[in-house]
Amino acid sequence: MEKINLKQAAYINGQWVNADNKIAVNNPANNDIIGYVPDLEKDLVHQAINSAAEAFETWKNTSPDIRYNLLQKFYELIIRDREKLAKIITIENGKALQDARKEVDYGANFIRYFAGEPYRISGATLPSANINNRTQYIKQPIGVVGAITPWNFPMAMIARKLGPILAAGCTAVLKPSEFTPFSCNALIELLIEAGLPKGVVNVITGDAAMIGEIMTSHAQIKKITFTGSTRVGKIIYSNCANQIKKLALELGGNAPLIIFEDANQNLAIEGIIASKLRSGGQSCTSINRIFLHEKIYDQFIENFKIVFANVKLGDGLNEENDLGSVINQAAIDKYEYLIADALSKGAELVLGGKKLSGQGCFFEPTIIKNANPNMEIFSQEIFGPIAVFYKFSNDQEALALANKTNYGLASYLYTQSQLKARHISENLQYGMVGINETILANEMFPFTGIKESGIGVEGSHLAIDEFLNIKSINYRVS
Ligand code: ADP
């Protein structure tokens, strides 16, 4: 494979910068160190925020054409470098190359979609209670946005935030995951090539808690948009309280999939496989609990096993593999703990259950059946290539089990009955429902969670409002 140049720096006020202290980044497929990013001191974090604040004064007043041109050019460059970006994702995240290519397309589409949004930011004029008055409201960019992103979609999560931030006329300070900073930097190189003005986007790397504290307490940061764990989301939420800082949180999930007796079973099997192969099941929307009707239980699991056992596991760079490595040993330790707990409480292991011997963080496609709500695996986010089956006998029971969680992100159901699909989807306590489909997120889909899964919307025409303030103006007409 030709050598890929990784940008090993932070990006502040239009300059790539470095520091004496560094953070090592490794490839989870072989544990090799692939590069380093700076472990920035506090003053550079402040510099990044101040430069975004200064740039905002100009960027907020740019014409829609300027913002469209930048984003559209950025999109074209991402597509030009699709292969290189996919490889960077694979070597720092571990996911299979074919999956990484899908991530590049997924992320790029957000940039293309939001390129057009500057033309559509609008307000309205409303009547007033006083007949001599009118009310007008306009929408204005919020200001500097602090964006904190995770490692599971290292490129797409940056793109999904950058599209609406830039389209709205905001500027940004990005903090990518310390495990996967190079996908972010590769994107920023393309954004610079597309004509990014100085200070409009900055990238900082370093101690996450320190950066989080500065971002949440800095008066110039007007909004935080965070994607990551519910644990960290709660810290950020509480730290934002002091300044009533606006925030969007896209947090963990505990997605149920209900497969009713009348489901198209082949479609359901395809759906579970797609969900488990997407970032190796390391996605907050990945199916965590499968509720299967008792009448189809054993046969369905047998059929599913045949397909899941055929999944090719190995180095993500090898085109033949469907499933790459997971992010690190800590993830594997968690799977082993959850599986052991489930088996000790009566679950049965149908397939897999182990890490591959040798280097790298490869975990076998795994199936567990006869699980029940007393097991840890029922309430914790697995984040891996593990399918866990529960049995139910009627619709009410399935719905109650599905809703028995503090999370409320994605949920899924398979049935051929229109009425049942409508009824169950309206009663699932989740921000998103997939009916006979498990891949939901795209640039046109309002991605949103309730309960402890988050606040705010990403994707669709609703998402630009996350980065705009409403200003109401009352004026006299006579
Ligand atoms: P995950 O389990 O998906 O890695 P995390 O919530 O740990 O989720 O990480 C998501 C992002 O949040 C990463 O960029 C990480 O560095 C960052 N992060 C971790 N701790 C904090 C914190 N205390 N404040 C702000 N950001 C944090």
Side-chain angles (χ1 to χ4, degrees):
M1 191 183 83
E2 102 269 20
K3 175 125 180 59
I4 295 174
N5 251 334
L6 300 172
K7 193 74 198 176
Q8 305 187 49
Y11 188 68
I12 299 173
N13 199 24
Q15 302 283 333
W16 289 105
V17 298
N18 241 304
D20 293 339
N21 292 331
K22 313 254 189 228
I23 301 171
V25 180
N26 68 328
N27 179 346
N30 53 24
N31 298 330
D32 287 351
I33 291 181
I34 56 171
Y36 296 85
V37 286
D39 185 2
L40 295 179
E41 299 284 345
K42 286 182 180 172
D43 60 328
L44 283 168
V45 176
H46 282 273
Q47 259 187 45
I49 298 172
N50 292 336
S51 95
E54 199 183 320
F56 178 65
E57 293 310 312
T58 311
W59 185 247
K60 69 180 179 187
N61 290 323
T62 49
S63 72
D65 283 353
I66 300 274
R67 281 174 270 155
Y68 166 81
N69 286 340
L70 179 70
L71 287 166
Q72 180 60 26
K73 181 79 191 154
F74 184 29
Y75 167 76
E76 286 162 13
L77 295 174
I78 295 171
I79 297 305
R80 183 196 71 190
D81 284 4
R82 180 176 186 253
E83 206 50 30
K84 175 183 160 196
L85 290 165
K87 284 189 176 139
I88 294 175
I89 292 171
T90 293
I91 61 172
E92 66 178 3
N93 164 286
K95 69 176 69 175
L97 198 52
Q98 38 181 294
D99 188 30
R101 290 190 188 107
K102 288 186 195 157
E103 180 182 340
V104 177
D105 294 343
Y106 168 53
N109 288 346
F110 279 88
I111 302 299
R112 181 176 59 185
Y113 181 94
F114 285 98
E117 286 298 88
Y119 295 111
R120 291 183 277 270
I121 297 169
S122 57
T125 303
L126 310 172
S128 168
N130 181 335
I131 58 156
N132 296 320
N133 285 198
R134 297 285 180 274
T135 296
Q136 184 191 37
Y137 74 83
I138 60 173
K139 292 182 182 175
Q140 295 181 307
I142 279 183
V144 180
V145 177
I148 303 174
T149 55
W151 48 263
N152 59 343
F153 291 90
M155 192 214 124
M157 291 304 102
I158 300 273
R160 190 157 101 164
K161 294 185 189 305
L162 265 186
I165 286 172
L166 293 175
C170 292
T171 58
V173 179
L174 307 178
K175 197 215 90 59
S177 166
E178 55 278 29
F179 298 129
T180 56
F182 296 126
S183 305
C184 172
N185 282 353
L187 268 189
I188 299 307
E189 285 186 290
L190 298 179
L191 187 54
I192 295 165
E193 188 181 340
L196 178 75
K198 189 173 89 161
V200 170
V201 175
N202 302 267
V203 180
I204 53 176
T205 50
D207 182 76
M210 177 272 281
I211 292 174
E213 259 170 47
I214 296 179
M215 276 192 179
T216 49
S217 59
H218 198 296
Q220 287 293 356
I221 297 255
K222 304 298 183 193
K223 169 145 186 165
I224 303 278
T225 171
F226 171 79
T227 300
S229 63
T230 295
R231 182 187 70 80
V232 174
K234 287 180 181 179
I235 298 173
I236 292 175
Y237 199 172
S238 91
N239 287 347
C240 282
N242 202 32
Q243 296 173 354
I244 319 291
K245 211 181 279 301
K246 290 185 161 47
L247 86 164
L249 300 172
E250 201 273 89
L251 308 176
N254 183 3
L257 160 63
I258 307 175
I259 305 175
F260 292 96
E261 192 187 346
D262 69 339
N264 177 330
Q265 295 187 32
N266 289 335
L267 205 60
I269 289 171
E270 263 175 40
I272 303 170
I273 298 286
S275 178
K276 289 294 164 191
L277 294 188
R278 188 160 181 262
S279 206
Q282 302 168 107
S283 152
C284 45
T285 55
S286 187
I287 297 162
N288 217 47
R289 297 170 297 154
I290 304 169
F291 301 105
L292 188 53
H293 192 277
E294 59 185 4
K295 287 216 180 115
I296 56 172
Y297 198 81
D298 292 317
Q299 189 59 54
F300 184 95
I301 293 173
E302 271 313 300
N303 294 343
F304 175 67
K305 180 182 168 183
I306 294 166
V307 185
F308 208 25
N310 252 332
V311 163
K312 292 204 181 63
L313 171 65
D315 189 339
L317 285 179
N318 181 340
E319 292 283 354
E320 282 182 5
N321 292 326
D322 312 300
L323 190 61
S325 89
V326 296
I327 191 69
N328 54 27
Q329 182 60 37
I332 288 178
D333 294 344
K334 183 176 179 187
Y335 308 150
E336 287 175 348
Y337 162 75
L338 291 174
I339 292 169
D341 174 78
L343 298 186
S344 77
K345 292 174 181 163
E348 201 182 307
L349 185 66
V350 177
L351 180 72
K354 292 191 311 295
K355 178 186 175 179
L356 290 190
S357 58
Q359 288 279 24
C361 302
F362 297 98
F363 201 80
E364 294 171 339
T366 296
I367 302 176
I368 289 173
K369 73 174 187 181
N370 298 339
N372 70 55
N374 296 325
M375 298 167 179
E376 292 284 341
I377 211 160
F378 182 88
S379 43
Q380 291 200 33
E381 196 172 25
I382 305 168
F383 239 56
I386 302 175
V388 186
F389 288 88
Y390 302 77
K391 197 182 278 181
F392 74 90
S393 48
N394 64 62
D395 296 3
Q396 283 320 309
E397 185 194 2
L399 196 54
L401 283 168
N403 286 337
K404 196 175 153 67
T405 171
N406 292 335
Y407 291 107
L409 199 62
S411 57
Y412 310 92
L413 62 99
Y414 279 76
T415 175
Q416 301 196 58
S417 155
Q418 271 282 354
L419 186 62
K420 188 176 288 198
R422 290 281 172 191
H423 177 74
I424 299 291
S425 61
E426 294 205 1
N427 286 284
L428 279 165
Q429 294 160 4
Y430 289 83
M432 299 175 278
V433 184
I435 299 175
N436 299 322
E437 177 58 79
T438 62
I439 303 299
L440 305 181
N442 63 65
E443 72 283 9
M444 290 171 259
F445 183 81
F447 191 103
T448 184
I450 60 169
K451 294 161 82 177
E452 292 189 16
S453 289
I455 299 171
V457 178
E458 290 190 322
S460 86
H461 66 286
L462 302 173
I464 189 106
D465 283 340
E466 292 282 334
F467 302 102
L468 296 165
N469 284 326
I470 288 178
K471 180 180 283 177
S472 300
I473 303 168
N474 195 75
Y475 59 93
R476 293 188 73 100
V477 289
S478 61

